[in-house]
Amino acid sequence: MSCKETPKEDVVVENNESSFNQALTDELSRMAKIDQVAAYIPQGKYKELSKEDWNKFKDSVFTTHEKRLQEIFNKHGFVGYDLAGEEGSKNFWLMVQHSDHNPAFQNKVLEKMKIEVDKNNTKSSNYGLLVDRVNLNTGKPQVYGTQVTYNFNTGQAYPKTLEDSVNVNKRRKSINLDPLEMYLNEMTKMHFEMNKEGYLKDKGITEPKLYTIN
């Protein structure tokens, strides 16, 4: 997926008073269902697609959604609990996470999201995931270690570039994230389950390597 972006004119976000918007909540729910199809490994009819066609489908979903998310953001700012409930706020954030082709947009959302976090109007741990996503997409190290890659010889997850790893769990605790080792074990198990057939066939691995938790 290309990280190049077309220059856009700055848009001023309207500062309207938020009140619960059921239509927006429902729309975000529908969009998120499609987003999760694209974000996961091919399932059902999508297994029949070639790798090239699958990547085209994913790119189409993420770029189309990003355009609509920008419209929503320009009107409402970051979508908090007051506007779309916990699920709607999560769905908006999740799809912004997948707008990696436009890190400038992700960063704009991040700035407004921090305001809502400070008002307890959205989830602080999700804010941490977007911080890390934006940092990596703009050439900076992670703060919370939420973005991972994998050792394909063991199936074990480990964080992409991370600043001050010694104190990462203090930072994670400040935004209600579990200790990094626990999170990495969860990601390792999820990754292994998604790719179990390959690990068994190609590596003879029956279970992934996990971190020791003190």
Side-chain angles (χ1 to χ4, degrees), residues 179-214:
L180 182 59
E181 296 80 7
M182 187 180 298
Y183 173 72
L184 292 176
N185 282 348
E186 292 174 359
M187 297 300 290
T188 296
K189 292 174 185 176
M190 186 184 306
H191 167 78
F192 188 80
E193 283 301 313
M194 290 171 61
N195 299 278
K196 182 182 289 186
E197 184 177 342
Y199 277 110
L200 286 171
K201 181 180 179 181
D202 300 332
K203 303 288 185 180
I205 298 175
T206 58
E207 59 183 27
K209 182 179 179 180
L210 300 177
Y211 293 90
T212 301
I213 299 177
N214 297 325

Side-chain angles (χ1 to χ4, degrees), residues 64-129:
T64 301
H65 281 178
E66 185 247 319
K67 291 176 182 177
R68 177 59 182 142
L69 293 172
Q70 286 216 42
E71 293 174 350
I72 294 169
F73 179 72
N74 290 337
K75 183 174 183 180
H76 299 287
F78 184 84
V79 176
Y81 299 154
D82 55 350
L83 183 63
E86 290 189 24
E87 192 67 20
S89 181
K90 176 185 175 182
N91 287 336
F92 180 82
W93 158 81
L94 181 63
M95 289 183 285
V96 171
Q97 281 276 102
H98 295 153
S99 298
D100 293 316
H101 53 279
N102 193 346
F105 171 61
Q106 289 179 317
N107 194 50
K108 287 181 181 180
V109 174
L110 184 66
E111 293 173 358
K112 295 295 182 181
M113 187 178 186
K114 180 62 167 66
I115 296 172
E116 302 308 315
V117 168
D118 291 343
K119 295 191 297 185
N120 295 316
N121 194 36
T122 196
K123 195 172 183 179
S124 59
S125 56
N126 287 346
Y127 170 77
L129 270 79

Side-chain angles (χ1 to χ4, degrees), residues 13-26:
V13 176
E14 297 178 16
N15 292 316
N16 296 331
E17 284 294 323
S18 297
S19 58
F20 187 76
N21 187 323
Q22 187 64 58
L24 177 60
T25 303
D26 293 344

Side-chain angles (χ1 to χ4, degrees), residues 93 97 110 113-114 117 122-135 142-147 171-172 174-177 183:
W93 158 81
Q97 281 276 102
L110 184 66
M113 187 178 186
K114 180 62 167 66
V117 168
T122 196
K123 195 172 183 179
S124 59
S125 56
N126 287 346
Y127 170 77
L129 270 79
L130 187 55
V131 167
D132 283 349
R133 197 89 166 204
V134 169
N135 278 14
Q142 298 186 83
V143 177
Y144 303 103
T146 62
Q147 306 301 299
R171 298 193 297 273
R172 289 176 65 88
S174 73
I175 58 169
N176 300 310
L177 285 171
Y183 173 72

